[in-house]
Amino acid sequence: MENNIRVRFAPSPTGALHIGGVRTALYNYLFARKTGGTMVLRIEDTDQTRYVPGAEAYIQEALDWAGIQLDESPWTGGPYGPYRQSERKEQYLAYAQQLIEAGHAYYAFDTPEELEAMRERLWAARVANPQYDSLSRMQMKNSLTLSQEEVAARISSGEPYVIRFKMPRKEEVRLHDIIRGWVMVHTATLDDKVLMKSDGWPTYHLANVVDDYLMKITHVIRGEEWLPSAPLHVLLYKALGWEAHMPKFAHLPLILKPDGNGKLSKRDAEKQGFPIFPLEWIDPLSNEKVAGFREEGYLPEATVNFLAFLGWSPGTNDELFTMEELIEIFSLERIGKAGTKFDIDKAKWYNQYYLRKRPDAELAGMLQEQLDKLEVGYEAEMVHKVALEIKERAVFPKDLWKDGAVYFIRPARYDQDVAAKKWNAEAQNIISQFAQAVEDDAQALTAERAKDLLQQVLDKNNVKIGRVMQAVRLALTGVGSGPDLMNMIEIIGREETVLRLRQAVHHLHVTP
RNA sequence: GCUCCGUUCGUCUAGUGGUUAGGACGCCAGAUUUUCAUUCUGGUAGCAGGGGUUCGACUCCCCUACGGAGUGCCA
């Protein structure tokens, strides 16, 4: 380890990991690798009521798919484990008590109903900032207002309590964010956040600060939604006496919905028909299914490249980078401040580029996979030729099948619009003669030879090629568009070509 | 409501006082082609508004507008 840079990605296992989470993980990873630091993953599962089975496995699989490697995690282990907050539960209370002893926190016994009543009262009194804070806490039931004896009695009697942070009344909190610069907040606007819940678990704020400290995290790179609570975290570091070990912060811009405004949500994905999750996910509780980048045919390298540029740019005109290259040029300072709209067209463009970059054999394999799945018969050699023929047209692996199907399956019907426009007596005549010529020909049926034969027929009948090509296409494929026809003839072979041409002549009728 | 953050082509962005405001996606057009797609070439389109500061503002400051996030015993 050349230096001590340590970053963490700290997801909560409450469902499928959002694509924004993948980006956060990616930025952490790029920064860690770039600086020779360490990438840590910590599971933040302090809310027992929100735990969703399978979510943790999903996180692991999604990061693995994206190529984001973890140096320390629940799965890889590491010197600062355990890496699940649920497995570190015992430690948090002691830190909360340390804060109480130092006068930075206190016990509170208010019931949910009493809290609600307080908010309503404050609201009715038109208090600018109705919350449990330095102003209102003296009206509440806590160790600041109750006698020491009563507090002790309540606790020993088993009455539920929380521990709240005692927000200073008048203090200016300054925090430096790598992306945003200095951010100043006055403590008078902040509330007394709960640190320990009545169920004995810590809240995010406490657990996060304690674990980041214990795990020696040097840079906290997380979403912008955490910015408002960052001042609290700074105060926590100070109150715990860890100011010297406070990590640097970088709050990432949010990923917004493509149209209109607001955070990208599951609803947008459904409405617009594109995924916003890395992997497909079926919610174990609702059985609801959401689409994943992987299942939709997005390649990991395309997804990573796309995600990297959602809020960051290298400052040059280049935008095609592999993970290795991203690591080379990434820097926190070049992350933008403004929210970023999710542009699926750009993702498709990346996908097309990376799909084409895959070796031909791999593309053939993708096509073969789909043929197998659909139980379509084929010869291995032909699959390779077809893949080569259609790779330029594909954005997703599934397009390989979409455009490749005509090579493997004889047309069962013919596009009527194309037939009406292009199929006529002249074309039918030429195609009949062409079929015969192909059948009678003794030479190997290459694309070139096929073209020669067609040209000979055309010359004999004094017809220009443009007048019949669409009809030939219709005869061979049943549709009006597709890849090069002569190459197709070479690929499907003499017998199939003749068969298809004659079938078309037989089935298609000339409209008078 | 309050706090914080933000605002360059439709979208992602470059730009750190003097530029014809650059690139990419998308879109449009042309070329190529047996069609569609690809490819190539070209085009379209932007500094939210108003005040300052300055010889000079997209760049610095202030205000307004608009947008976003947070405001839970959720993370």
Side-chain angles (χ1 to χ4, degrees):
Chain A
M1 217 185 296
E2 306 81 35
N3 60 55
N4 296 317
I5 286 183
R6 294 173 58 80
V7 298
R8 88 308 196 265
F9 176 56
S12 194
T14 54
L17 180 65
H18 190 272
I19 198 73
V22 179
R23 188 195 58 171
T24 301
L26 175 66
Y27 284 7
N28 272 284
Y29 177 70
L30 293 175
F31 180 66
R33 284 289 177 272
K34 165 81 179 186
T35 57
T38 304
M39 171 79 178
V40 178
L41 179 136
R42 182 176 67 230
I43 295 290
E44 309 237 324
D45 53 353
T46 52
D47 187 351
Q48 298 296 286
T49 63
R50 294 215 311 158
Y51 176 78
V52 175
E56 206 180 286
Y58 182 100
I59 291 165
Q60 186 178 13
E61 194 178 347
L63 297 182
D64 186 59
W65 174 73
I68 296 168
Q69 297 163 345
L70 305 170
D71 300 313
E72 296 173 26
S73 73
W75 316 298
T76 59
Y80 297 92
Y83 293 91
R84 279 184 199 95
Q85 290 185 327
S86 57
E87 294 167 13
R88 330 178 109 237
K89 185 185 174 191
E90 303 316 316
Q91 67 186 174
Y92 302 109
L93 182 60
Y95 290 104
Q97 276 164 347
Q98 178 192 326
L99 286 170
I100 291 176
E101 278 155 33
H104 293 301
Y106 58 91
Y107 296 103
F109 303 95
D110 315 275
T111 64
E113 294 72 34
E114 288 168 335
L115 291 173
E116 186 52 35
M118 181 257 317
R119 289 194 187 97
E120 268 174 42
R121 194 174 64 242
L122 261 31
W123 210 280
R126 303 173 73 187
V127 170
N129 217 4
Q131 59 189 7
Y132 206 124
D133 58 14
S134 57
L135 259 31
S136 61
R137 65 178 164 234
M138 295 317 283
Q139 267 75 252
M140 306 302 288
K141 281 187 212 147
N142 51 53
S143 59
L144 265 22
T145 59
L146 270 23
S147 72
Q148 218 171 332
E149 296 71 43
E150 186 169 357
V151 170
R154 281 175 185 252
I155 291 175
S156 61
S157 76
E159 184 176 335
Y161 66 88
V162 300
I163 296 175
R164 285 182 181 271
F165 183 67
K166 190 179 171 192
M167 186 60 68
R169 187 186 284 272
K170 287 181 180 172
E171 199 175 304
E172 193 79 42
V173 185
R174 286 160 53 87
L175 85 104
H176 184 78
D177 184 277
I178 293 169
I179 296 168
R180 285 150 218 286
W182 286 103
V183 176
M184 245 93 74
V185 187
H186 196 93
T187 53
T189 67
L190 270 21
D191 65 341
D192 291 358
K193 276 276 182 299
V194 170
L195 266 18
M196 289 297 295
K197 299 184 266 185
S198 59
D199 61 4
W201 291 82
T203 59
Y204 168 84
H205 301 106
L206 209 222
N208 153 266
V209 167
V210 167
D211 286 335
D212 281 348
Y213 169 75
L214 260 18
M215 294 181 176
K216 295 194 161 47
I217 299 303
T218 58
H219 298 256
V220 169
I221 304 166
R222 77 233 294 192
E224 192 184 349
E225 66 267 29
W226 295 112
L227 193 51
S229 59
L232 167 69
H233 303 157
V234 169
L235 257 16
L236 242 17
Y237 276 100
K238 289 186 183 172
L240 257 1
W242 301 336
E243 194 174 358
H245 302 281
M246 189 161 64
K248 291 189 166 69
F249 294 100
H251 289 93
L252 272 22
L254 261 19
I255 297 180
L256 275 14
K257 43 183 78 192
D259 60 330
N261 303 294
K263 218 155 65 156
L264 185 65
S265 73
K266 200 160 72 183
R267 280 188 61 84
D268 300 307
E270 287 155 6
K271 210 169 60 191
Q272 317 261 344
F274 58 70
I276 63 156
F277 293 97
L279 274 31
E280 188 176 278
W281 166 258
I282 298 168
D283 191 279
L285 304 174
S286 64
N287 254 340
E288 214 181 325
K289 186 165 106 175
V290 296
F293 268 77
R294 183 228 258 160
E295 287 75 13
E296 291 293 305
Y298 289 89
L299 271 15
E301 62 269 38
T303 308
V304 162
N305 199 152
F306 167 67
L307 248 27
F309 275 74
L310 228 48
W312 170 88
S313 104
T316 64
N317 282 339
D318 306 317
E319 48 191 338
L320 267 2
F321 295 94
T322 63
M323 186 73 97
E324 291 309 306
E325 292 165 337
L326 285 170
I327 288 167
E328 195 57 41
I329 57 168
F330 185 77
S331 82
L332 255 23
E333 288 74 17
R334 293 207 58 88
I335 295 174
K337 301 183 208 301
T340 299
K341 287 187 181 165
F342 192 77
D343 181 13
I344 199 67
D345 280 330
K346 198 76 174 235
K348 286 180 183 167
W349 176 74
Y350 274 117
N351 210 242
Q352 179 184 41
Y353 173 79
Y354 283 107
L355 185 65
R356 240 180 256 182
K357 276 197 80 174
R358 299 281 265 246
D360 292 336
E362 211 176 303
L363 258 17
M366 289 176 180
L367 177 56
Q368 198 166 110
E369 219 171 275
Q370 293 172 79
L371 292 172
D372 288 339
K373 208 160 62 187
L374 295 162
E375 298 184 327
V376 175
Y378 58 86
E379 285 168 34
E381 195 193 351
M382 181 165 156
V383 175
H384 196 90
K385 285 181 186 165
V386 172
L388 228 54
E389 196 66 12
I390 57 182
K391 62 183 268 194
E392 297 292 307
R393 317 166 63 80
V395 174
F396 299 109
K398 62 174 184 264
D399 295 336
L400 259 20
W401 161 249
K402 213 179 75 210
D403 288 320
V406 292
Y407 292 83
F408 301 95
I409 300 173
R410 204 170 297 153
R413 71 180 79 84
Y414 301 90
D415 187 311
Q416 287 309 303
D417 291 339
V418 180
K421 278 192 214 126
K422 304 291 183 181
W423 192 266
N424 50 44
E426 180 183 65
Q428 194 173 50
N429 178 34
I430 296 291
I431 286 168
S432 292
Q433 291 182 43
F434 181 44
Q436 193 62 46
V438 170
E439 186 171 46
D440 293 344
D441 190 51
Q443 292 188 35
L445 188 61
T446 61
E448 204 181 340
R449 183 61 186 161
K451 182 124 189 195
D452 284 346
L453 292 171
L454 178 61
Q455 196 57 54
Q456 282 169 25
V457 172
L458 289 166
D459 289 346
K460 200 156 53 181
N461 292 272
N462 200 23
V463 172
K464 288 242 175 70
I465 192 165
R467 292 180 61 90
V468 297
M469 271 318 262
Q470 276 298 78
V472 174
R473 176 174 299 283
L474 185 68
L476 253 20
T477 68
V479 295
S481 69
D484 186 273
L485 278 180
M486 298 304 142
N487 287 343
M488 180 179 185
I489 288 174
E490 177 177 327
I491 291 169
I492 66 175
R494 188 187 313 276
E495 194 182 335
E496 182 67 19
T497 300
V498 172
L499 215 55
R500 290 191 185 193
L501 291 174
R502 290 205 171 129
Q503 177 186 297
V505 169
H506 187 72
H507 282 284
L508 285 165
H509 302 289
V510 176
T511 42

